[in-house]
Amino acid sequence: MVRWIIFISIYFLIDIYAFQAIKTVSKSQWLHWLYFIVSIVLLGLFIYQLTGGVHGRQMTPSRMYTFGLFLTIFVPKLLVIVFMFGEDIIRFGVGLFSKFGGSDDGFYLPSRRKFISTIAIGVAAIPFASLLYGMYRGKYNYKVLKYALEFDDLPDAFDGYTITQISDVHSGSFDNKKKVAYGVDLINEQQSDVILFTGDLVNNKADEMLPWKEYFSKLTAKDGVYSVLGNHDYGDYIGWPTEVDKKNNLQKLKDIQKEMGWKLLLNEHVEITRNGDQIKLIGVENWGAGGFKKAGDLEKACAGVSKTDFKILMSHDPSHWAEKVKQDDRHFHLTLSGHTHGMQFGIEIPGWFKWSPVKYRYEHWAGIYEELGRYINVNRGFGFLGYPGRVGIWPEVTVIQLKKRVNSA
């Protein structure tokens, strides 16, 4: 109860402070009333979604859209108060100068300047419009990102071999069958040799996948479709009546993947052969740092795999690569991960600049990284969770071509 009182108090302090810009720019009473009505209604919805109905960390569509609208309204207000606070420092400084600088008027606080408030509102309009666009269009703005990676010891028969990677479908968040169908078709259009899915098929429950099962069943590749589990697939973030219900949910998710024609790798590996050569495809269960489930077992998955084999590892959380995989002397040539979503928000200028707040949590958060002669690709995700949209970090279909490095004499 105390934390809610503190939260509501801070919320209204920010609200009233940001309102000064609106009040300076416009004297319209209906606009002033609209400002506070929207703020109060949004706060009420936000509190209801967190305290009423579904409990725990389960992300339902209504909870996500409430959170998205909250961000859309609240983040611009934070930008406004930055400008207002800066102006108030100057106003207070002028007041002190008038008091101690010999002015006969004593302490004089200048009125707010309409020019500053107009700039503040204009700047705040940028994240407001971006977050709205992210919910309306950005979440299905699929992008195909292509990479070519060279290896000295790639088996000759796999020179030119192509992999399509998708990750973090989060089917419980989808709300547009036409857009999802387009995304699935886009995956198949790449005509890759194999399709690899690196975890988080659902948000919480296996049933979330049922409306989308027919679409993802259409995924096809010459060497098949393989998958691993992500942290959300285990159903850990909701309360189950019994442990048996939770166990049955996980089994149902496994069965759904089998029915779609996917091969789920549970701390195991398979061989992909071509013209007498082979590569080892290894799939581990979720292993994540910082309190996430650590069910991944490299030792079990690599039983029978030699150090000289060419290896592709599927592991949902990139922190696994950072903490366990990249320095493993078995030399995992390429690791494929997801999990971060690129936070679904950031700025990317291909080949020039890449930033998202998630970089302060994950060292490897989007795209290709190389260290110690090993590669990892962190897919930005196919779906969305939490904020029901994407801004700057778009849903991704990754295509990776394996190349045999030609050593020049």
Side-chain angles (χ1 to χ4, degrees), residues 196-326:
L196 305 180
F197 172 69
T198 47
D200 277 2
L201 190 61
V202 297
N203 295 346
N204 304 287
K205 297 181 178 181
D207 286 348
E208 296 168 5
M209 190 61 193
L210 296 180
W212 313 99
K213 181 180 172 182
E214 64 174 300
Y215 298 95
F216 287 89
S217 296
K218 296 178 181 178
L219 291 179
T220 181
K222 184 186 302 181
D223 290 327
V225 181
Y226 293 88
S227 61
V228 293
L229 296 175
N231 56 297
H232 279 268
D233 294 324
Y234 296 92
D236 287 341
Y237 303 132
I238 59 173
W240 297 93
T242 68
E243 280 299 314
V244 172
D245 291 309
K246 182 179 179 181
K247 182 179 179 181
N248 289 341
N249 176 73
L250 180 57
Q251 185 58 52
K252 185 173 185 178
L253 185 68
K254 295 176 182 179
D255 293 341
I256 288 173
Q257 296 194 43
K258 183 177 181 180
E259 291 162 6
M260 292 194 303
W262 297 14
K263 169 61 177 175
L264 178 62
L265 299 179
L266 299 167
N267 293 324
E268 57 188 310
H269 71 272
V270 295
E271 296 177 356
I272 298 178
T273 60
R274 174 169 288 193
N275 297 331
D277 287 335
Q278 65 175 228
I279 60 176
K280 298 295 176 65
L281 177 63
I282 303 162
V284 295
E285 295 194 48
N286 190 81
W287 193 103
F292 286 101
K293 182 182 284 291
K294 294 177 173 59
D297 189 336
L298 272 178
E299 298 302 321
K300 180 180 178 182
C302 293
V305 176
S306 72
K307 291 184 179 180
T308 58
D309 287 327
F310 189 91
K311 295 176 281 294
I312 298 174
L313 173 66
M314 300 168 65
S315 181
H316 176 69
D317 192 318
S319 65
H320 191 205
W321 188 75
E323 296 203 10
K324 298 289 183 180
V325 175
K326 70 179 181 181

Side-chain angles (χ1 to χ4, degrees), residues 151-184:
F151 301 89
D152 291 320
D153 55 347
L154 179 70
D156 292 338
F158 286 89
D159 187 20
Y161 191 82
T162 54
I163 300 164
T164 287
Q165 180 198 1
I166 57 172
S167 191
D168 298 87
V169 163
H170 288 287
S171 56
S173 301
F174 289 148
D175 55 10
N176 190 315
K177 292 187 175 181
K178 184 177 180 180
K179 295 293 186 181
V180 172
Y182 166 77
V184 171

